[in-house]
Amino acid sequence: MSAPPPTGPRLTPRMWLTAFLGIARRETLRFVNQRGRFLAALVRPLVWLFIFAAGFRAVLGLSITPPYQTYVLYEVYVTPGLCAMIQLFNGMQSSLSMVYDRETGAMRTLLVSPFPRWFLLASKLVAGVIVSIIQVYTFLAIAWFWGIEPPPIGYLAVLPALLLSGLMLGAMGLFLSSAIRQLENFAGVMNFVIFPMFFASTALYPLWRMNESSTLLHDICAANPFTHAVELIRFALYARFDLLSFSVVSGCLILFFAGAVFMYDPAKGLWARRKGGA
């Protein structure tokens, strides 16, 4: 009789929790030790809020656009888009660490652990989103002193939207990082992805204004996942729910995360191609 196939160690709930907390602690320590990263995450949206928004206020007049019940100043309109911009940059920077860990061999050690790959990637993703949410609430606190005051309930209602949009943008970064083999190449890919997604969205101007300029640009912005992340945050800040944005962001999250899990599979994705190339 043949011997039964070997089985891996039985993973208890405590082991799952310990693994998640270990990954989250590593991401938190990396964030704490990189104080410039926190400041850089705030400088970009604050420059847009304090300088560009002040200059564009007289040029870009805004009509009544949902979820707003009246005319709003331009800096009020761009605030949700700047919150999403913080999460977009944070998701890409968090994915940059994946490329670095792959070059140093730390990620290979992580992926050969007995925990499933989806759990390890999801743990890193959630840890990165927690960091981005801290950055967003810090930005909203500064914006409040600037006179941008959504309803008090909005600060609580926006939390699930920030979580979902952060997961989607972080999963997109993970998916992109799986196809990049060298750390030097990631900066170019970040610029190629971040700036088109940010400018071709409703972060800075509403869809109806883009439709006045170009129908093609309007359609591109309407299909941009970042647009729906912005609108999800915008509606949530005013305690309203946008079903279309929720559906698009949720669908993109599933698609990007499934692609990242596949690409990081040694038998199917990046590692299989590298082995074959060798």
Side-chain angles (χ1 to χ4, degrees), residues 44-46 48 80-90 198 226:
R44 283 184 293 262
L46 289 177
W48 277 100
L82 298 179
C83 292
M85 181 178 72
I86 293 174
Q87 294 197 303
L88 176 62
F89 275 89
N90 185 82
F198 177 69
F226 187 71

Side-chain angles (χ1 to χ4, degrees), residues 118-222:
W118 65 264
F119 171 76
L120 299 173
L121 293 176
S123 298
K124 181 174 179 60
L125 185 59
V126 171
V129 172
I130 292 174
V131 170
S132 74
I133 290 178
I134 295 174
Q135 295 171 334
V136 169
Y137 272 105
T138 303
F139 169 73
L140 288 175
I142 298 174
W144 184 85
F145 286 102
W146 194 250
I148 300 171
E149 304 177 17
I153 188 62
Y155 291 101
L156 180 61
V158 78
L159 180 59
L162 291 175
L163 179 61
L164 184 61
S165 60
L167 288 173
M168 187 271 286
L169 295 171
M172 181 184 67
L174 280 178
F175 177 70
L176 291 175
S177 70
S178 66
I180 299 173
R181 303 186 182 185
Q182 293 182 347
L183 189 63
E184 296 79 6
N185 297 335
F186 195 72
V189 174
M190 283 178 61
N191 293 330
F192 181 76
V193 173
I194 287 177
F195 291 108
M197 288 192 71
F198 177 69
F199 288 107
S201 72
T202 57
L204 302 179
Y205 16 72
L207 281 176
W208 63 264
R209 183 167 290 278
M210 284 178 261
N211 196 33
E212 291 179 349
S213 174
S214 169
T215 303
L216 176 61
L217 179 60
H218 170 274
D219 295 340
I220 292 175
C221 295

